[in-house]
């Protein structure tokens, strides 16, 4: 399998599992079900129901594991499972890569120009004679600097 398709599969798996714990899941779930249900020759309706049930079980487990020691392991296992399923799908139906690519382009965090909530800071205005701290909330910060006054440092 081509390296580009393998990268798409990896990104697709990470995207699908990442979306499971977001508000966007309801928006994208039917597309994922349609994609996964297409990798079977079985009855389309019953297969779609089975896929939807599997995805809901996975989502429920992932949400329940949120903030626990099990979360990272479960996320890793789910991502590997989705990756394998996507690989099998694209081997059987190479045309499905277009739908997967559209899904990734629309929902993958790396597909956006910036992650949501990103912050860009810059320090301007000449020399800074001490630490520059940028952030949201700081408490009990203590800085010890060598040297004299600001006038001494300007000379």
């Amino acid at each position: 399998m081509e390296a580009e398709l393998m990268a798409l599969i990896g990104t697709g798996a990470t995207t699908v599992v990442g979306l499971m714990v977001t508000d966007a899941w309801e928006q994208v779930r039917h597309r994922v079900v349609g994609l996964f249900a297409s990798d079977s020759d079985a009855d389309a309706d019953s297969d779609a129901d089975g896929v939807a049930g599997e995805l809901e079980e996975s989502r429920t487990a992932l949400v329940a594991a949120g903030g626990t020691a099990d979360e990272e392991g479960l996320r890793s296992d789910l991502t590997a499972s989705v990756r394998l399923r996507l690989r099998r799908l694209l081997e059987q139906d190479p045309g499905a890569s277009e739908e997967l690519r559209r899904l990734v382009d629309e929902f993958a965090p790396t597909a956006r120009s910036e992650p949501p909530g990103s912050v860009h800071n810059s320090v301007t205005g000449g020399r800074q004679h001490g630490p520059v701290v940028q952030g949201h909330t700081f408490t009990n910060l203590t800085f010890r600097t060598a040297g004299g006054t600001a006038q001494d440092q300007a000379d």
Side-chain angles (χ1 to χ4, degrees), residues 59-95:
R59 180 181 189 277
T60 300
L62 193 57
V63 168
T68 69
D70 295 334
E71 180 181 15
E72 191 57 39
L74 180 58
R75 182 179 297 271
S76 178
D77 290 348
L78 287 174
T79 302
S81 174
V82 171
R83 188 180 314 112
L84 183 62
R85 190 166 194 157
L86 287 172
R87 182 179 180 147
R88 189 174 63 236
L89 167 67
L90 295 185
E91 286 171 349
Q92 292 175 358
D93 180 12

Side-chain angles (χ1 to χ4, degrees), residues 3-136:
E4 182 182 338
L5 279 180
M6 291 304 295
L8 176 62
I9 289 167
T11 303
T14 303
T15 300
V16 167
V17 173
L19 286 168
M20 285 181 175
V21 295
T22 68
D23 293 335
W25 178 246
E26 290 305 313
Q27 178 184 355
V28 75
R29 179 176 49 98
H30 73 279
R31 288 173 62 187
V32 175
V33 168
L35 191 64
F36 285 170
S38 71
D39 78 346
S40 173
D41 294 330
D43 182 307
D45 289 337
S46 66
D47 191 48
D49 291 343
V51 169
E54 288 175 33
L55 289 171
E56 192 56 36
E57 273 183 41
S58 296
R59 180 181 189 277
T60 300
L62 193 57
V63 168
T68 69
D70 295 334
E71 180 181 15
E72 191 57 39
L74 180 58
R75 182 179 297 271
S76 178
D77 290 348
L78 287 174
T79 302
S81 174
V82 171
R83 188 180 314 112
L84 183 62
R85 190 166 194 157
L86 287 172
R87 182 179 180 147
R88 189 174 63 236
L89 167 67
L90 295 185
E91 286 171 349
Q92 292 175 358
D93 180 12
S97 65
E98 290 308 312
E99 175 58 22
L100 179 58
R101 192 175 320 278
R102 282 191 295 273
L103 189 129
V104 166
D105 288 345
E106 189 173 342
F107 291 101
T110 56
R112 299 181 193 126
S113 60
E114 299 180 4
S118 66
V119 175
H120 299 279
N121 294 311
S122 61
V123 177
T124 61
R127 291 185 180 168
Q128 307 302 319
H129 298 283
V132 175
V133 180
Q134 297 178 338
H136 183 269

